[in-house]
Amino acid sequence: MAYIPKLPDDTVNVTNSNFIEEMLKLVVGVSLLISVAFLVVTLSTSLIVENMSLKTEQKLQALFSSSLEIDTNSSNKEVLYLQSIVDNLNSCAKLPYDITVSISNHKEPNAFAMMGGAIVITKGMLKEIQNENELTFVLGHEMGHFKHRDHLKGLGNGIIFAMISLFVPNSFVENILSLNALSYSQSQESSADIFGIEMMLCRYQDTLGSASLFERMSKNDKWSDFLATHPDFYTRVLEIKKYIKSNNLPATKESRELRYSFE
Amino acid sequence: MVDIIFILTPILLGYIFGSIAEKNHYKSIQEREKKFMRLPTISLKTPLNPDNITRSRLVVGNVVISVDYFKRVLAGLKNIFGGNVTSYETLVDRARREAILRLKEDAKGASEIINLKLETSSINKSAKGTIGSIEIFAYGTAIYRK
């Protein structure tokens, strides 16, 4: 048997393909898939959530409140103070379940309305708030998300994000997705703002302080994190002012001082 | 925006450095394959010519090549739609040819190498968050003649 020396054929075991082209095709395909899934799920969840009865909503909330891990230090005076504001506001908001407030240690100013009737407000946010009116507005705004069932509608998005992170097992991608999953749409934020104004009216018969916090925020660079989940501050300030003006709402009383300075 | 930069940077770096490394590696592989072309390396268990054999020896070649981020993302996206994972083909091809070349380098002065076998394994296969790499281990028997 004779041995015939021959160089290996480069084309047999390696497909001659353009990786960039392949990458672009796949990325377009995946984004199409995701957007279709996104549309279907968000539309169907918002349809279900809007037609849900109060009882079902209560049941859903109870389901999540038991699994919620919040550091509720009930002896903490600051938390008790926030809780008392929320409890008072709930007589105006008339939510069918109790709301629990907790403070998270994050330095980035932000507040969230979460499943299980929990409002989480960051230490960074509390530091920026200058009077009780502003605090009431922020808490009222978050209660607005509960009133409009925004957090339930967000569940649909959560499912999609969970599905994506299944396919893309990348820790930092997951982090980014979970961050964005907490955000609400611009129109949801705007209607929550209006709910916040109504809450202030109900509580203080005055709307002072509803726009002042956001006005400071839109001028401050530190808010970039908040901007990521609460878009277009400037537009929101304008909308709040427009709402107050067009409805001839009072904004004349003096602002109430905070009972605690959150430092 | 920052999020997008976070995702794109490793992919872009992976593509740039991955392609440079691959190009250089193929160049070196092809040069060395030419050099060793006349050394018969076969998977038969018996030598081509049983005459004049003085001794035989186990020769090995071993290589580990890492996947880059670009290839991995491309393969990850392929998971969804199925099909050939072409981005890993060059990787496996390079590793296999490099391992055989190292085996040939190990067999200095041999007149032929018989019973060539290849083993493969992947390192970091199950570790989450790490990028995988492929190991190819080539072994065979070098035959020496007078």
Side-chain angles (χ1 to χ4, degrees), chain A residues 122-134:
Chain A
T122 64
K123 280 213 166 127
M125 179 61 129
L126 290 172
K127 242 182 201 173
E128 301 290 335
I129 287 168
Q130 286 181 354
N131 52 50
E132 199 180 280
N133 301 51
E134 288 177 358

Side-chain angles (χ1 to χ4, degrees), chain A residues 15 83 94 103 110 150 187 192-193 204 230 238-239:
Chain A
T15 315
Q83 189 65 53
K94 295 190 177 61
I103 301 174
N110 215 334
D150 288 341
S187 66
D193 281 344
Y204 303 131
H230 291 67
L238 288 183
E239 269 181 42

